[in-house]
Amino acid sequence: MSSIRFSFDDKTYQGNHGEPMAAALLRNGLLHITNSTYQGRPRGVMGLGVEEPNALVQLVTGTKESMRPATVIELAEGMAARSLTGVGSLPEDPDEARYDKTNRYVDMLVIGAGLAGLKAADEALRAGREVLLIDDQPGPGGHLRHLGQDLPSPLQDLFKHTNLTYLRRCTATGLYDQNYVVAIERRNEHLGNAAPANRARIRVWHIRAGQVVLATGAFQRPLLFANNDRPGIMLSHAAATYVALYGVKIFRTAVVVTVDNQGYRDALRLHQSGVKVESVYDARPAANGPGVDAAKAAGIPVRFRSTVLDTASNAEGLLQRVTIQYLDTKETFQTDADLLAVSGGWTPVADLATHIGIKPKWSAEHAAFLVNHATETLRTVGMLAGDFGGDDDPAVFFGPTLDAEQARSAFIDLQRDSTLHDLRRAVGAGLSSIEHIKRYTTIGTAHDQGKTSGMLTIGALCQLNAAKEDGKPGLSPADVGTLSFRPPYVPIPFAALAGRERGPLSDPIRVTALHQWHVEQGAVFEDVGQWKRPWYFPRPGEKMEDAVIRECLAAREGVAVMDASTLGKIDIQGPDAAVFLDRIYTNMFSTLPEGQCRYGLMCKADGIVFDDGVTTRLGKNHFLMTTTTGGAARVLAWLEEWLQTEWPELKVYCTSVTEHIATIALVGPKSRQLLQELVTGIDLSKEAFPFMHSRETTVDGLPVRIARISFSGELAFEINVTWGYAHYIWERLWTIGRAYDLTAYGTETMHVLRAEKGYVIIGQDTDGTQTPHDLNMSWIVSKKKEFIGKRSFQLPWLQAAGRQQLVGLLPDNGNDIIPEGAYITSLNAVPDESGKTPHIGFVTSAYYSPVLKRSFALALVAGGLSRMGETVNLPIVRKVLSATICDAVFIDKENLRRD
Amino acid sequence: MLYIPCPHCGLRNETEFHYGAEAGVAYPDPNTLSDSEWAEYLYVRANPKGWLSERWVHFAGCGRWFNLWRNTITHEIGPAYLPFTKQPKAPGSITGQEGSGK
Ligand SMILES: [Zn+2]
């Protein structure tokens, strides 16, 4: 090991490359590392790994990740960290590190590279299977690593096998159905400044395995006693490992308290490393086994039926004295110690198994919840399956009986500062389920998710419900049951889950063939689904309102042009296409002549409006459907669902062509004149080319399709051209258009123009509860044919009076632009008993109309179609506006302008 | 994440699929049903604790609808079958594993 320098809380220390930061802090004498979150009590390192509840740090070099246990950070040159009191903070600067993700399909996944996991991997490799072995430690061996021992020689060869992939520093965070496992591999942190910048800091593995072997091992657990949280009180296996393996020489006198033989093994390691072990205090009446014999042979005193009751600290808050209690006589005495090593038994790591609903079973023999599972797809081995591999012989004992005062300092969850007192209060409040107690006390809800506190909670509940002298049996852990764990097993940085899908890559961006032109013209964009659409085209010095007024007036008085390519387009072909559309749309399409267009509305089976758009009949068996920009995918899915699952006899084929056909809307009284200069060979006059007709022609030899479709009420033409030629046609249009003062407009102007005509936008002017009748569109509902949703119109609740219907609203003050979503109340409305004024509807769209020279709105109002002329209130923040209900068509009710 | 056997593409991750509730509910003749029978068709689907044959569509793959037996408690996946073909029998429990219902 090479010596390195690192900094902690702005002071520089010496450490060894690759050792846990916790080991280096201890070796440098830092017992008091932080203060607890709520009570501010001094705390130090307690554990050896991710179970650590106290020693949380924030890295301040490299990626400034928060809430990292010092027990799992591998030291590297130049590393710096700061202590945390249980509350992390996000760094201000962006995380420049790389994160990536990968998928892996494998015969067998072994989780845990301790002895049990290695044996399982070895067997499978010998049987010719492909194995992925993942483990959260820097190297294989599990507990052997803590003992500083090498792998048994037969297992060392395992790593030469070409069928084995071994991922170190890789933690399985979740086990899901059908053996899907998510794991995070930390690839960079241990390299410190030497980490290559192009290497992913964390890689997220998505693994699907034929068989999963859970060899997740176990955590040692603490005991419950008064003042059990002082720096200097540690899990015995952790204490012995820091002292014996990492050369921590700060402890003089240790007291070892145990319920199993592990305490003796750890006492011996401490003793052999030069720590005076005052005594082992064992809750059991006797102990046998090699570990016990070895400790005794080394001269370590042993006292049975005794345990720790309380502790005292010195002026610095560090452990100084331990109160021991004899369990039978209740006699107590005190002894000095600067290390209290606690062995409360083992808690197998059952988290992953419980993720998929497996319930661990209590084994009194092991004093632990075990998961014994062996199916073709999932197997548990090692400590999780009850193979403790030694002579542990644990007692079911969680700590001495504590009085009310002692309970206040007996910490169950050190990170949450939750005590036995809190738990008793929860039980006193009538809670009995461990899941409820968890939520009431917050035990097990910190970053460590109850890795040490879970079993203490169960133990404390058993103590509270102990067997009574009258013979009434007490609760055992089997009766209490375990907490259910949820993924992730350890915290995962969001950056790792996001991977490279950040910033512009966080969601696909869809742009039209004309996007670059819009950018060059200074368009302000809005997101419509994944599409980038020009919102408006401000000229220098213009605000949005100015630009929109100018664009609207150009469309109403001159000529304006919009890129409408984002419209959803579905090519529908087949001998039954017309029959199919008759069933999909509320209105008739089989009667539509070739070369003509028709506006259509579609409902779901429940009669609720779902989408709309214009469909053109290109041939006898060939239609081109357009959908709303946001509805393209779901409409295609809807068509496919009916074709595949209800009407397989229909010969119809649907293809998405949204990105194949660019659509340019040319709008305004001068549009015909302008277009006539672009396209030659067809007569654009209203007699030769009537409204809702479609013509195919060419521009400079390029095929284009022109349709007389208007979403503004103005004379308008849609130019449809293959995506790749759109830019050419667009530029040609502009070359001619300069003489006409051609104006580009965006979605805001489109919305104003369509709202002035009362054209509804499904999803904006509807909220998923409107029928065509509610939208005053009964004219589009055919009585002659069956279609999806028709039967539902007869349902009484869809015919009831008082349904919300689409109407227009004219604010009494023409300068008031009502906020969209504003509630509408009647003039005579009075608050009900709860003080709320009942509303009769809400505003769906509201704009300023440059042609009306006033504001206007569309709204859904209860019974609105029979409330024409009624004045209503619109309570908004700190004032009440008023408006009059009117027809939703504000201009050109006679449809004279479109010709 | 479920691992779903698309009859056309084989085993694929659940994220490639959309769910379509109970399978085998035919579109009824709307004109022969009472209002409450029609409402039953619109809004009511089986949701048993245990095996259920369901509709799924492989929207991010072949785009085809199919039916699939799935255990709503254990999330075990049973056989998949095409629409308008004979429904295979509900499978027995494969693992015998206790579900938590959570
Ligand atoms: Zn498929």
Side-chain angles (χ1 to χ4, degrees):
Chain A
M1 272 196 209
S2 60
S3 180
I4 57 100
R5 291 161 77 79
F6 72 103
S7 114
F8 183 75
D9 282 343
D10 301 323
K11 284 174 85 173
T12 304
Y13 298 96
Q14 205 88 26
N16 295 318
H17 179 87
E19 73 178 346
M21 182 180 281
L25 293 174
L26 286 168
R27 195 181 320 97
N28 282 287
L30 271 83
L31 266 173
H32 176 186
I33 284 181
T34 184
N35 294 326
S36 72
T37 313
Y38 301 109
Q39 298 198 23
R41 291 170 65 103
R43 295 279 168 80
V45 173
M46 183 179 111
L48 202 50
V50 295
E51 83 282 17
E52 172 61 39
N54 289 336
L56 288 182
V57 303
Q58 168 139 19
L59 294 172
V60 292
T61 43
T63 295
K64 299 174 180 61
E65 193 178 335
S66 209
M67 303 291 280
R68 300 270 288 134
T71 49
V72 305
I73 297 171
E74 294 171 52
L75 274 187
E77 178 64 44
M79 199 175 256
R82 215 166 265 143
S83 61
L84 286 176
T85 57
V87 181
S89 64
L90 289 174
E92 302 274 313
D93 39 336
D95 182 359
E96 302 293 349
R98 276 197 184 188
Y99 298 87
D100 65 13
K101 55 185 82 169
T102 188
N103 292 281
R104 185 70 192 265
Y105 297 80
V106 70
D107 291 342
M108 181 191 268
L109 168 68
V110 179
I111 300 172
L115 272 181
L118 293 175
K119 280 179 189 158
D122 189 44
E123 274 170 36
L125 288 167
R126 284 172 199 280
R129 303 177 70 192
E130 198 190 1
V131 176
L132 175 61
L133 172 66
I134 66 176
D135 185 87
D136 66 353
Q137 297 296 310
H143 285 300
L144 290 182
R145 289 188 65 252
H146 299 149
L147 298 173
Q149 293 176 9
D150 291 333
L151 292 178
S153 52
L155 288 176
Q156 287 176 7
D157 295 340
L158 183 83
F159 296 92
K160 295 175 188 154
H161 216 295
T162 50
N163 272 353
L164 177 78
T165 309
Y166 166 52
L167 299 175
R168 58 189 82 210
R169 302 183 182 90
C170 183
T171 312
T173 61
L175 171 61
Y176 305 85
D177 297 306
Q178 281 93 42
N179 282 353
Y180 174 65
V181 172
V182 175
I184 62 162
E185 182 195 4
R186 289 185 176 266
R187 294 159 53 83
N188 255 3
E189 193 173 274
H190 64 286
L191 300 174
N193 297 337
N198 62 353
R199 186 180 155 106
R201 179 169 178 264
I202 295 177
R203 175 171 291 167
V204 179
W205 289 79
H206 298 269
I207 304 158
R208 188 74 79 165
Q211 187 176 45
V212 170
V213 177
L214 297 177
T216 46
F219 292 125
Q220 203 175 23
R221 65 176 174 254
L223 291 171
L224 205 47
F225 51 92
N227 292 298
N228 61 344
D229 64 330
R230 299 189 194 284
I233 303 175
M234 298 171 77
L235 295 169
S236 68
H237 191 53
T241 301
Y242 288 126
V243 168
L245 187 65
Y246 295 111
V248 171
K249 293 188 166 57
I250 60 170
F251 301 116
R252 272 198 198 86
T253 310
V255 161
V256 177
V257 174
T258 191
V259 306
D260 62 6
N261 290 357
Q262 180 64 37
Y264 292 82
R265 292 193 285 270
D266 294 328
L268 185 61
R269 286 179 85 195
L270 290 169
H271 171 83
Q272 288 169 343
S273 304
V275 179
K276 177 182 183 316
V277 178
E278 191 269 338
S279 178
V280 173
Y281 297 95
D282 190 334
R284 299 171 296 176
N288 296 295
V292 178
D293 296 341
K296 283 179 175 167
I300 298 173
V302 177
R303 291 174 175 88
F304 292 105
R305 291 299 288 154
S306 61
T307 195
V308 54
L309 181 69
D310 199 350
T311 69
S313 68
N314 63 14
E316 285 92 61
L318 309 181
L319 177 76
Q320 189 175 37
R321 200 168 302 127
V322 178
T323 304
I324 299 292
Q325 180 182 54
Y326 283 101
L327 291 165
D328 297 322
T329 62
K330 305 290 177 203
E331 272 174 50
T332 63
F333 69 91
Q334 294 188 334
T335 181
D336 283 356
D338 54 6
L339 172 65
L340 173 56
V342 179
S343 177
W346 292 101
T347 299
V349 179
D351 298 48
L352 293 170
T354 69
H355 289 174
I356 54 164
I358 297 173
K359 294 270 184 219
K361 288 204 168 61
W362 175 250
S363 163
E365 181 199 337
H366 298 83
F369 280 98
L370 306 177
V371 178
N372 254 305
H373 198 91
T375 64
E376 273 177 36
T377 54
L378 184 72
R379 199 146 62 85
T380 56
V381 296
M383 295 187 82
L384 178 59
D387 178 8
F388 282 21
D391 59 337
D392 274 14
D393 192 24
V396 180
F397 180 82
F398 300 98
T401 308
L402 300 179
D403 66 25
E405 190 49 39
Q406 290 162 335
R408 285 179 185 275
S409 66
F411 289 87
I412 295 176
D413 188 328
L414 276 72
Q415 184 53 237
R416 282 282 184 244
D417 269 347
S418 301
T419 63
L420 180 60
H421 169 76
D422 298 328
L423 181 133
R424 286 179 181 172
R425 219 164 44 129
V427 173
L431 305 176
S432 54
S433 152
I434 187 165
E435 294 287 354
H436 295 161
I437 288 167
K438 167 183 171 173
R439 282 151 184 83
Y440 190 85
T441 59
T442 74
I443 289 170
T445 61
H447 74 286
D448 57 340
Q449 291 285 294
K451 288 183 173 57
T452 52
S453 59
M455 270 312 294
L456 283 192
T457 309
I458 294 163
L461 284 170
C462 293
Q463 280 184 350
L464 273 180
N465 297 282
K468 298 282 186 313
E469 278 167 16
D470 62 7
K472 189 168 173 261
L475 286 186
S476 92
D479 305 316
V480 176
T482 55
L483 288 156
S484 52
F485 299 99
R486 275 169 287 271
Y489 168 69
V490 292
I492 308 177
F494 279 116
L497 295 178
R500 303 198 181 183
E501 291 155 32
R502 291 162 53 166
L505 297 181
S506 61
D507 196 36
I509 293 172
R510 301 173 78 184
V511 297
T512 71
L514 305 172
H515 184 73
Q516 193 52 38
W517 189 93
H518 304 323
V519 171
E520 284 162 10
Q521 296 301 310
V524 176
F525 289 89
E526 79 166 330
D527 291 337
V528 181
Q530 293 169 332
W531 288 105
K532 293 280 175 208
R533 296 198 72 179
W535 194 10
Y536 57 98
F537 290 86
R539 287 184 180 166
E542 270 186 346
K543 286 188 294 208
M544 178 173 172
E545 304 92 274
D546 308 328
V548 171
I549 288 172
R550 176 178 50 73
E551 292 172 16
C552 283
L553 290 175
R556 294 274 183 230
E557 293 166 3
V559 58
V561 67
M562 183 182 71
D563 178 7
S565 303
T566 63
L567 272 179
K569 302 172 207 81
I570 301 169
D571 185 271
I572 300 172
Q573 299 193 42
D576 298 314
V579 174
F580 176 59
L581 289 179
D582 278 349
R583 296 185 192 178
I584 291 291
Y585 279 124
T586 63
N587 49 338
M588 199 76 99
F589 275 77
S590 51
T591 55
L592 181 68
E594 289 175 40
Q596 290 191 30
C597 324
R598 186 166 286 171
Y599 172 78
L601 197 62
M602 54 181 90
C603 293
K604 291 250 165 141
D606 59 6
I608 301 302
V609 174
F610 165 55
D611 205 83
D612 67 346
V614 171
T615 288
T616 305
R617 190 167 203 166
L618 300 174
K620 180 168 180 286
N621 299 326
H622 189 187
F623 292 82
L624 182 69
M625 173 186 280
T626 63
T627 72
T628 56
T629 292
R634 60 174 175 265
V635 170
L636 179 60
W638 177 245
L639 303 182
E640 280 292 337
E641 181 178 346
W642 286 91
L643 284 172
Q644 289 182 36
T645 69
E646 294 296 342
W647 305 321
E649 71 283 2
L650 293 185
K651 287 193 168 60
V652 182
Y653 303 90
C654 303
T655 310
S656 168
V657 291
T658 300
E659 278 108 333
H660 296 234
I661 303 168
T663 305
I664 297 165
L666 191 66
V667 177
K670 295 182 187 163
S671 58
R672 180 180 281 129
Q673 213 183 330
L674 191 164
L675 188 63
Q676 195 69 74
E677 287 196 45
L678 179 72
V679 294
T680 47
I682 54 169
D683 183 352
L684 297 179
S685 70
K686 65 179 175 188
E687 295 77 16
F689 192 169
F691 187 59
M692 291 304 248
H693 279 236
S694 168
R695 297 277 186 276
E696 285 173 22
T697 182
T698 58
V699 172
D700 299 344
L702 300 176
V704 297
R705 192 173 58 78
I706 314 284
R708 278 203 53 205
I709 294 167
S710 178
F711 195 43
S712 58
E714 292 302 319
L715 173 67
F717 296 85
E718 256 185 31
I719 306 165
N720 293 280
V721 60
T722 304
W723 203 263
Y725 294 140
H727 189 250
Y728 177 82
I729 298 292
W730 182 262
E731 288 289 2
R732 287 278 283 112
L733 206 53
W734 279 93
T735 310
I736 302 163
R738 254 170 233 126
Y740 294 84
D741 195 18
L742 180 62
T743 300
Y745 70 97
T747 52
E748 186 68 15
T749 292
M750 174 192 81
H751 277 271
V752 176
L753 299 174
R754 66 91 199 171
E756 286 171 339
K757 277 291 288 175
Y759 292 152
V760 54
I761 290 191
I762 310 294
Q764 166 144 356
D765 301 301
T766 65
D767 68 354
T769 62
Q770 280 72 42
T771 66
H773 308 287
D774 298 333
L775 300 177
N776 201 14
M777 290 171 81
S778 304
W779 56 269
I780 206 169
V781 178
S782 169
K783 292 197 166 57
K784 296 188 198 129
K785 53 144 193 166
E786 277 302 322
F787 57 86
I788 297 167
K790 186 180 190 185
R791 173 66 180 83
S792 292
F793 299 148
Q794 296 164 36
L795 294 171
W797 53 91
L798 291 190
Q799 295 196 331
R803 288 185 59 78
Q804 290 190 335
Q805 294 169 326
L806 188 75
V807 293
L809 272 187
L810 282 175
D812 292 347
N813 179 343
N815 295 320
D816 288 339
I817 296 177
I818 310 166
E820 286 172 1
Y823 278 120
I824 301 168
T825 61
S826 353
L827 284 186
N828 53 8
V830 286
D832 63 16
E833 299 129 37
S834 65
K836 290 176 185 146
T837 307
H839 66 86
I840 56 169
F842 61 96
V843 173
T844 61
S845 299
Y847 307 96
Y848 175 78
S849 165
V851 285
L852 299 174
K853 295 196 166 42
R854 69 177 336 283
S855 60
F856 71 106
L858 298 175
L860 287 165
V861 174
L865 292 172
S866 46
R867 301 176 90 135
M868 292 298 149
E870 181 178 331
T871 302
V872 292
N873 279 337
L874 297 126
I876 59 171
V877 181
R878 276 188 281 280
K879 59 180 170 180
V880 178
L881 307 180
S882 62
T884 305
I885 297 177
C886 61
D887 188 82
V889 183
F890 292 89
I891 63 163
D892 188 28
K893 288 189 206 298
E894 306 77 22
N895 292 327
L896 300 175
R897 302 181 64 91
R898 70 188 188 199
D899 274 328
Chain B
M1 174 160 42
L2 298 176
Y3 209 25
I4 296 175
C6 171
H8 307 286
C9 308
L11 282 164
R12 308 294 303 174
N13 281 333
E14 183 185 346
T15 46
E16 295 182 8
F17 296 84
H18 281 164
Y19 181 66
E22 184 188 5
V25 182
Y27 188 65
D29 177 356
N31 300 313
T32 59
L33 300 185
S34 70
D35 284 349
S36 61
E37 286 167 337
W38 177 249
E40 182 96 358
Y41 162 75
L42 288 178
Y43 304 119
V44 182
R45 291 293 181 275
N47 186 23
K49 206 171 162 178
W51 287 103
L52 173 65
S53 68
E54 302 170 327
R55 303 187 322 145
W56 288 83
V57 59
H58 192 192
F59 84 93
C62 60
R64 305 303 292 174
W65 282 89
F66 60 94
N67 301 325
L68 176 74
W69 279 106
R70 184 179 69 99
N71 190 310
T72 60
I73 298 300
T74 62
H75 305 298
E76 286 162 277
I77 298 289
Y81 59 103
L82 296 173
F84 310 106
T85 61
K86 193 172 178 297
Q87 184 189 48
K89 275 207 174 68
S93 183
I94 295 166
T95 65
Q97 165 197 315
E98 271 179 58
S100 71
K102 280 171 192 150

